[in-house]
Amino acid sequence: MPDTNLITTDAVIVGAGPVGLFSVFELGLNDIKCHLIDILDRPGGQCAELYPEKPIYDIPAVPVCTGSELTERLLEQIKPFNPHFHFSQMAESLQKTPEGLWRLTTDAGTVIDSKIVVLACGGGSFVPKRPPIKGIEAYEGKSVFYSVRKMDKFRDKNIVIAGGGDSALDWTINLQPIAKRVTLLHRRDEFRAAPDSVLKMRALVAEGKMDLKIANLTALNGADGQIETLTIQEENKLLGHLPCDNLLAFYGLTMKLGPVANFGINLHENLIPVNTADFESSTPGIFAIGDINSYAGKMKLILSGFHEAALMAKKAFAIIHPDRRYRFQYTTSSSDLQGKLGVADAAA
Ligand SMILES: Cc1cc2nc3c(=O)[nH]c(=O)nc-3n(C[C@H](O)[C@H](O)[C@H](O)COP(=O)(O)OP(=O)(O)OC[C@H]3O[C@@H](n4cnc5c(N)ncnc54)[C@H](O)[C@@H]3O)c2cc1C
């Protein structure tokens, strides 16, 4: 394992959904530094992926906000603690090191040693839906991709981006300046993405800087995992063969528990039973908060996860700072907490 990839920190959080994000705040107030991993390419979990534009009405003291607004507000709130995000990476394995730390490895080769692990994995990891095209498996990871890990991989390439949601539109706009040519391929001339992204994409098409094709993708043609062309059709009529070096397909995501099932943690019906005093699992040092845990009376609500994060952080403090006494403090009146939040002057 290359040493350059080894990161050492206090806490690693699997999942950057609302509960993972808020736990950065609670841990930060307790002087605990965090790294977060998410298979998605952005924070927000279900709020960002499943209902970014839908209103949420039951966040305390916020009468209404959308999934994206909640994510933005949480990111603003945790800024003082400078969390490190590792997006588009699957937390794949967890082992104990001889030194007694937890070693978490991602499928991108990131290795993080930490004193505690917080599983805020929600309903599981979001995994891409595979386009229903015969033989696509042979091209996956070689010339067919379902996420962008390094933009440079697509420099000077002829790229076809398939899909009509936010990921397809965002990557069309971001990769257009560096790719040789980008074609957005969608089955109808209507998009589920943010209106602003759709306008930007249409402007690029009008300026002749990229192509938009309204058609169905029906076959990949190539050899040894390398695509040469894509067959496109309208209904049953062949429209032609699109030259293509790389296909980026964004056909939506489904949630699966994924590798967490192999972490060696006690599971019950794909959920992690926890102690409700501190939300630790039956494995010491491993906590489970948010939708992934189970206990008597559990309600899968964001506010439940926020409460769980606060109690988890208190126990985490005892593990990470065993030489220090825990002091219960209010942010309203504690100059210590206000200093950590960078608001000491404003609060004085
Ligand atoms: C349509 C809809 C509307 C809702 N409305 C409300 C509402 O009004 N009020 C309310 O309180 N709740 C609502 N909910 C429920 C709420 O969204 C969830 O309770 C909340 O998202 C749980 O947050 P979480 O952080 O625990 O998990 P999630 O939001 O599920 O985030 C978990 C994250 O972990 C990542 N992950 C998991 N495993 C791995 C792995 N191995 N490696 C890398 N990443 C991983 C996932 O990719 C995901 O991003 C709604 C849910 C839906 C679907």
Side-chain angles (χ1 to χ4, degrees):
M1 173 204 327
D3 273 346
T4 46
N5 278 349
L6 180 64
I7 297 162
T8 304
T9 188
D10 294 330
V12 65
I13 302 170
V14 180
V19 177
L21 292 178
F22 190 65
S23 63
V24 172
F25 184 82
E26 292 296 332
L27 290 167
L29 290 181
N30 284 291
D31 297 327
I32 297 169
K33 294 192 173 34
C34 310
H35 280 247
L36 294 97
I37 298 162
D38 205 301
I39 187 66
L40 292 180
D41 61 4
R42 62 194 82 197
Q46 295 177 45
C47 300
E49 197 52 48
L50 301 181
Y51 58 103
E53 302 295 324
K54 280 205 174 122
I56 309 173
Y57 298 101
D58 56 353
I59 303 298
V62 181
V64 58
C65 70
T66 63
S68 324
E69 284 163 354
L70 180 70
T71 306
E72 285 309 313
R73 287 177 193 204
L74 287 166
L75 288 172
E76 182 66 29
Q77 193 169 23
I78 64 177
K79 241 190 214 161
F81 302 113
N82 197 21
H84 298 265
F85 289 100
H86 304 270
F87 289 122
S88 302
Q89 298 193 32
M90 181 74 94
E92 210 162 50
S93 70
L94 185 66
Q95 276 133 11
K96 196 104 193 215
T97 69
E99 298 77 31
L101 297 172
W102 289 107
R103 173 161 296 174
L104 191 136
T105 307
T106 75
D107 63 346
T110 305
V111 183
I112 308 178
D113 280 1
S114 62
K115 293 176 190 149
I116 63 156
V117 176
V118 180
L119 299 173
C121 319
S125 51
F126 282 100
V127 288
K129 286 187 189 153
R130 179 180 273 156
I133 296 170
K134 206 170 151 214
I136 194 167
E137 298 87 338
Y139 295 89
E140 287 172 353
K142 294 178 183 155
S143 59
V144 171
F145 302 94
Y146 302 120
S147 66
V148 176
R149 289 202 166 159
K150 288 209 163 48
M151 281 177 54
D152 217 47
K153 190 178 179 69
F154 301 99
R155 185 175 291 282
D156 300 326
K157 294 278 173 60
N158 219 339
I159 308 171
V160 175
I161 297 181
D166 279 312
S167 295
L169 271 284
D170 285 357
W171 285 118
T172 296
I173 294 161
N174 284 313
L175 291 173
Q176 181 276 328
I178 66 163
K180 186 170 163 197
R181 191 77 185 169
V182 172
T183 302
L184 178 64
L185 176 64
H186 189 41
R187 63 195 151 79
R188 56 196 175 112
D189 199 6
E190 276 171 36
F191 297 87
R192 282 170 287 108
D196 182 52
S197 307
V198 179
L199 284 178
K200 279 189 188 142
M201 178 276 292
R202 292 209 190 275
L204 289 169
V205 174
E207 290 163 27
K209 292 183 175 163
M210 60 163 281
D211 301 307
L212 171 64
K213 286 260 182 258
I214 306 302
N216 288 311
L217 172 59
T218 54
L220 310 183
N221 314 300
D224 301 328
Q226 179 54 56
I227 307 174
E228 282 159 22
T229 61
L230 305 178
T231 304
I232 53 171
Q233 284 187 205
E234 187 187 26
E235 309 274 318
N236 288 331
K237 188 173 133 229
L238 178 70
L239 289 184
H241 300 289
L242 267 184
C244 171
D245 298 323
N246 288 156
L247 169 68
L248 272 162
F250 298 106
Y251 280 34
L253 301 164
T254 52
M255 291 188 95
K256 285 194 182 145
L257 180 60
V260 171
N262 306 321
F263 282 6
I265 299 156
N266 181 30
L267 290 171
H268 178 66
E269 293 179 352
N270 275 351
L271 296 169
I272 304 175
V274 285
N275 165 359
T276 50
D278 50 26
F279 297 93
E280 201 165 22
S281 70
S282 58
T283 308
I286 304 205
F287 297 83
I289 57 173
D291 279 11
I292 187 74
N293 70 16
S294 78
Y295 53 87
K298 167 75 182 185
M299 287 174 87
K300 287 192 183 183
L301 285 175
I302 297 165
L303 70 84
S304 317
F306 288 172
H307 158 79
E308 294 160 15
L311 269 73
M312 172 279 294
K314 185 177 170 213
K315 174 70 183 284
F317 177 87
I319 297 175
I320 290 167
H321 303 297
D323 47 331
R324 288 169 55 187
R325 194 171 60 85
Y326 179 83
R327 269 195 307 143
F328 175 81
Q329 303 176 84
Y330 291 124
T331 54
T332 333
S333 45
S334 158
S335 53
D336 170 37
L337 296 184
Q338 288 163 7
K340 292 173 194 176
L341 293 169
V343 295
D345 290 344

